[in-house]
Amino acid sequence: QNEKYQIIKKIFENIISIPPMSKLIIALLALTIVNAQQIHNVIYAQTGKFSVTWYNTGHEFETDNSKERTVHFIALFREPFDQVPQMEVGLYGFDLGFNNAGIYAEVDRVAKDGYDIKITCPAGSICYNIAVDFIAYIEGQGYEHTSFSSSDFDEAQQNTWKSGANARYATKTLTSSITEDTGVISFISGFQFGAGANIRLRTATQSVANGEATLELGTWADTKLLSFRIGVLFFKKSEKTDAFSLSSSKTGTLYTGHGFRDDVKKTENIPSQGAQFFVAFSHIDFINGHNYRVKHDHHHGENYLSTTFTTWYDTSIWRVVDAVLYTPIIDHSWAVAM
C-alpha cells in the first residue's frame, strides 16, 4: 500500500501548476492505474490435455501385468483459479495390448494452481500410453459433473456385460441443479475388457431436460466388458457453450492398412473464436488381435473445429466417437480488486 501512495505523491509533486480539483482527478486516475495490476481475467472453466508414454521405457505398465499398477500425473493449470475448482477427466487417446485391454484415469487431488491425476493399468493389461483431457471449473458457474461405474449396477447386469453375446445396454438417470437450458455430455474415463473379442463401449444421451438426464451405455456382439467408469458433465447451454458428437468414418482409413493413418473431420458453424474445448471418447470399437492405438489432434479457426483421428502400425479401428464441449476461455470478462 505504501508504494502506491508514494507513486501518487510523486505525481502531485510534479503537477503543482494545475488547479487543486484537477490534481484530485489525476490522483484518482493514478490510484486506478496502480491498482491495474489487480485487474485480472476471472477464470471460471479451464480445459487441457496431457499424455504419458511407457512404451520402451521398461516401466511396469508395459512389463508386468500380474497386478494392478498406478502412477500419478501432477501438473499446474495454465492459469491458477481464485478458489479450488471441481475437475473431471476423460480418455483422449491410448495405446494398449489387445489381451485384457484396460486403462483408467481419475482425479485424485485438485488445488487452485494444479492437479494430481491417478492413472491405473489393471491386472492383466499392458499399457503403453494414455492421453487425457480434463475440465476444471468453479462450482456454481454453470457446470457440474458426476461419474458412475460398472459397480453401480447389480450383479446380473454386470454379468450380462461380461458374457459376450448380442447388444447389452442399460440406462442411468442422473440429476443436476442446472435446471434451465440443461446440457450434458457423457464420456469414457476408464475400462477393462476380457480377451478374445473386439473392445466395444458406448455411452450416449437418451434425453436431457430440466436438470435430469437419462444416459444409455453398454456393449454389443461378442465383447467381454469387465468394468468401466463413465464421466458426466452437466452445463448450462448458451450461445457460446454447448456440445456435439463427432465420429470417425466407419470402417474408413483407420480400419484398413498399416502404418500411420489419419481420418480428418471438420465441424463448422460453431463459435470457436475465444473458445476452449473438452474432448473425450464416448464410443470405441476396435478389432481384436492387434494393439489398440488411437490419438487425436485438434485445431480451430473462427467458426470451426478440425479433428484428426490417428492410428498406427496394424491397429484396426471400426469406429470411435467423441463427446465435445465448447465454452469460452473467459466468460465473465473483467473483475477489479481494489
Side-chain angles (χ1 to χ4, degrees), residues 272-290:
S272 55
Q273 187 174 22
Q276 57 188 331
F277 295 85
F278 170 79
V279 183
F281 293 120
S282 61
H283 176 127
I284 56 174
D285 187 350
F286 287 70
I287 305 302
N288 180 51
H290 315 283

Side-chain angles (χ1 to χ4, degrees), residues 88-92 102-107 117-120 130-133 146-148 186-192 201 203 227-232 278 280-282:
E88 183 56 290
V89 294
L91 294 180
Y92 184 73
I103 193 78
Y104 278 86
E106 60 183 318
V107 178
I117 306 300
K118 183 173 77 171
I119 301 167
T120 302
I130 188 174
V132 173
D133 205 342
T146 186
S147 68
F148 59 91
S186 59
F187 44 89
I188 301 166
S189 298
F191 57 76
Q192 186 175 26
L201 176 58
T203 176
S227 63
F228 61 80
R229 187 174 84 86
I230 301 297
V232 181
F278 170 79
F281 293 120
S282 61

Side-chain angles (χ1 to χ4, degrees), residues 142 178-184 208-211 235-238 241-242:
I178 302 172
T179 56
E180 295 182 0
D181 301 316
T182 311
V184 70
V208 57
N210 305 320
F235 57 91
K236 185 176 177 62
K237 293 193 294 184
S238 69
T241 298
D242 209 341

Side-chain angles (χ1 to χ4, degrees), residues 114-133:
Y115 54 89
D116 178 349
I117 306 300
K118 183 173 77 171
I119 301 167
T120 302
C121 188
S125 299
I126 294 295
C127 304
Y128 298 113
N129 170 271
I130 188 174
V132 173
D133 205 342

